[in-house]
Amino acid sequence: MRIAILNKDRCQPRRCSHECEKYCPRVRTGDETIVFGDDGKAVISEELCVGCGICINKCPFDAIMIIGLPEALTEPTYRYGTNGFALFGLPIPQVGKVTGILGPNGIGKSTAIQILSGTLVPNFGEEKGDWDRVLEYYAGSALYDYFRDVVDGKVTVSQKPQYIDMIPKAFKGKTSDLLEKTNDRGVLDELVERLDLTHIIDRNISELSGGELQRVALAACMAKDADFYFFDEISPYLDIYQRINSAQLIQEIAKENAVLVVEHDLAILDMLADTVHVAYGQPGGYGVMTHPKGVRIGINQYLKGYLPEENVRIRPEAIKFETHPPRTATDIADFVEYGGFSKKYGDGFSLSTTGGSLKEGEVLGIVGPNGIGKSTFLKILAGEIKADEGEIDIDIKIAYKPQYLKADIPMRVQDYLRGVTRRFDTSYYQAEIAKPLQLEMLYEKIVTELSGGELQRVAIAACLSQEADLYILDEPSAHLDVEQRSLATKAIKRFAENSKKTAMVVDHDIYMIDMLSERLIVFEGEPAIYGEAHEPMGMQDGMNKFLANLAITFRRDEETIRPRVNKVGSRLDREQKAKGEYYYYNIDE
């Protein structure tokens, strides 16, 4: 089966010569394979298309995809009209379990949720959906009873949105006012305490940070009385402490309700979910939801890029982890040294640091809870603010990607990046930065119209594009899916090694830190009170110190060597804590 996808936002018939129609071999023989509709946009007949791909290459705006589907896919569950996105299959919510969805952005996860909530009716590729046909189609399956309840109005849904930065645009007022509207279950006071929201409850929503907004959104979703809870990314802007705490709250809700979670932090998804559906396909073209898999099996298959039950390869190469840093410290020359310094904000937060050195071509990871001084540390290094004690005399040029991004540049992405670097049109830039970060499809978009994940990739590229000696990236994983995080990791790491430049990365995704870093700076202390930054140390020592504060241990998966959270109090957890091996545990012992 073959489907044709037209991106109507990219299709610009007034700015082209209708090359798709002009060069189509079937049109030239007299068939109406490509015509132009009432809106002026191209319409491609999937029945007449032979899949030659000429229109794909000739379209000046890259608006066309011709996709050959796996043979097993015949009838879509839902399709957005002619030449629109097609979704095959649905996740199955189960009461008493947390069901995870693992897959790239733009693969149909939001469409699936709209169907499960009753907002969209499955149309099976037709113009309009019909609930009678839906019930007939799913008769005898696990989804029949669920959809019967949806039709009868017995299913209520509570949803936490993906992009929490949109909340201040939709609601004006105090945090308490927003949360009180959702307190159907009468558990708001407990949620406020457990999510550490007490100190912001009387503040305006517009004044909250990203992490605070994320926790408010989680509390609002959990406070509602619903049959089906959907959480779309719980991890952005939360530190590892807050992610684990949020995961535990979600597991409590799942004891009596159906919970569906989309999450790209694999360590959290592994700990949180009971089963996972792997979503694969072509972002923006089509998506397929597999049958439910065990969480370990599903994550491992996704990382390997091959789904044995479906006999489908979803990625040409596996995402790989390493049990040890690729280079030892003695192999790398010192780039710059800095002394200890301290900073105090009035009667509030104070930061003290131990001096250390940065090495040529290395990526240095920075870990610790939110509100512990990581951003202050980076801003002092970057020269944006001054230390109270200790002098930072580093005569180097620094490029900085902040944690919170602002899309306030009304120009095309390619024009913006051209203004940042003169190397934009070089083959090196396109191969080493643009391609890994998947920027080609964003070039014609306006920066102010980018989604969170798209803006993140552009911001990473803009940082690496600058002429600098030290590159600082604050939480580059936010809003990126698993595949994009892997590609961004490779781009940052390869850039540092090839250019012999030093990069410092702050992130809370354990997987990204594991793949990216060669050494760590660990922050300890009490959030919002005081913070202490240790000198850079090796990965094993650094992660052991960091995870000891969390009182959790990680093991290595035997198949993929990826980190996995041990169940607290398990035999392995107790054994590793006794040995002081919280992270790099020898799986062969």
Side-chain angles (χ1 to χ4, degrees), residues 355-376:
S357 64
L358 309 180
K359 296 181 178 294
E360 271 186 9
E362 79 166 338
V363 179
L364 190 65
I366 299 178
V367 294
N370 286 334
I372 205 74
K374 298 188 299 296
S375 294
T376 298

Side-chain angles (χ1 to χ4, degrees), residues 454-524:
E454 292 169 341
L455 184 62
Q456 187 70 259
R457 282 145 51 202
V458 171
I460 293 171
C463 180
L464 299 182
S465 298
Q466 299 176 47
E467 293 292 338
D469 304 300
L470 175 63
Y471 295 81
I472 299 174
L473 299 102
D474 199 344
E475 203 162 338
S477 72
H479 300 307
L480 299 186
D481 61 42
V482 175
E483 202 137 348
Q484 291 167 344
R485 291 181 189 200
S486 174
L487 292 170
T489 294
K490 291 179 181 178
I492 295 168
K493 196 165 188 175
R494 189 178 299 172
F495 173 82
E497 290 178 353
N498 291 345
S499 62
K500 294 194 183 328
K501 304 290 188 179
T502 303
M504 301 178 76
V505 176
V506 178
D507 213 284
H508 301 294
D509 186 329
I510 296 293
Y511 279 42
M512 190 168 192
I513 288 292
D514 182 72
M515 290 190 292
L516 190 63
S517 308
E518 292 163 27
R519 292 192 301 158
L520 287 180
I521 295 178
V522 179
F523 279 71
E524 294 181 306

Side-chain angles (χ1 to χ4, degrees), residues 44 133-134 161 210 237 262 277 332 420 423 439 473 491 517 565:
I44 304 170
R133 186 186 173 192
V134 171
Y237 308 122
V262 174
H277 293 265
I332 317 170
V420 175
R423 299 178 295 167
L439 299 180
L473 299 102
S517 308
V565 180

Side-chain angles (χ1 to χ4, degrees), residues 178-351:
L178 173 63
L179 292 178
E180 285 293 344
K181 291 182 178 181
T182 66
N183 191 22
D184 300 336
R185 297 197 297 134
V187 295
L188 185 57
D189 291 341
E190 179 187 352
L191 289 172
V192 166
E193 182 178 349
R194 294 184 63 178
L195 287 168
D196 192 23
L197 297 174
T198 307
H199 65 289
I200 65 166
I201 199 72
D202 293 322
R203 284 166 54 188
N204 287 327
I205 287 289
S206 58
E207 299 172 354
L208 303 185
S209 68
E212 291 165 343
L213 276 175
Q214 187 71 268
R215 284 177 283 139
V216 167
L218 286 167
C221 181
M222 294 177 188
K224 292 180 182 177
D225 187 11
D227 305 293
F228 172 42
Y229 291 83
F230 172 59
F231 297 89
D232 198 346
E233 292 192 40
I234 68 171
S235 63
Y237 308 122
L238 298 187
D239 61 39
I240 186 68
Y241 301 80
Q242 295 163 340
R243 294 180 186 193
I244 291 174
N245 185 41
S246 301
Q248 291 170 342
L249 283 169
I250 292 172
Q251 287 174 322
E252 292 176 16
I253 289 177
K255 291 177 181 178
E256 298 179 358
N257 302 279
V259 174
L260 194 62
V261 175
V262 174
E263 182 52 58
H264 300 303
D265 184 332
L266 293 184
I268 296 300
L269 182 65
D270 192 12
M271 182 187 73
L272 173 62
D274 298 296
T275 61
V276 297
H277 293 265
V278 176
Y280 68 92
Q282 189 161 340
Y286 77 101
V288 183
M289 296 283 175
T290 68
H291 292 297
K293 302 172 183 283
V295 63
R296 176 181 176 272
I297 292 172
I299 292 177
N300 283 355
Q301 289 181 1
Y302 185 79
L303 291 174
K304 290 178 180 178
Y306 176 67
L307 308 177
E309 293 87 356
E310 292 78 12
N311 193 25
V312 172
R313 179 159 290 284
I314 60 175
R315 192 185 312 105
E317 295 180 357
I319 296 175
K320 296 181 180 179
F321 294 84
E322 297 171 333
T323 54
H324 300 288
R327 296 184 293 175
T328 59
T330 55
D331 296 333
I332 317 170
D334 283 345
F335 158 60
V336 71
E337 293 186 1
Y338 62 91
F341 58 87
S342 63
K343 177 72 177 178
K344 186 172 178 61
Y345 291 94
D347 296 329
F349 178 79
S350 63
L351 169 70

Side-chain angles (χ1 to χ4, degrees), residues 76-97:
T77 305
Y78 190 87
R79 190 163 191 193
Y80 289 92
T82 304
N83 300 149
F85 177 86
L87 174 66
F88 297 83
L90 287 171
I92 304 173
Q94 299 180 65
V95 175
K97 289 187 176 181

Side-chain angles (χ1 to χ4, degrees), residues 1-6 46 65-74 76-80 83-89 104-109 111 279-289 312-314:
M1 183 179 175
R2 182 185 301 113
I3 62 173
I5 304 296
L6 179 76
E46 293 170 349
M65 291 188 286
I66 306 295
I67 304 169
L69 298 177
E71 292 181 5
L73 301 178
T74 54
T77 305
Y78 190 87
R79 190 163 191 193
Y80 289 92
N83 300 149
F85 177 86
L87 174 66
F88 297 83
N105 291 327
I107 210 73
K109 298 187 290 289
T111 299
Y280 68 92
Q282 189 161 340
Y286 77 101
V288 183
M289 296 283 175
V312 172
R313 179 159 290 284
I314 60 175

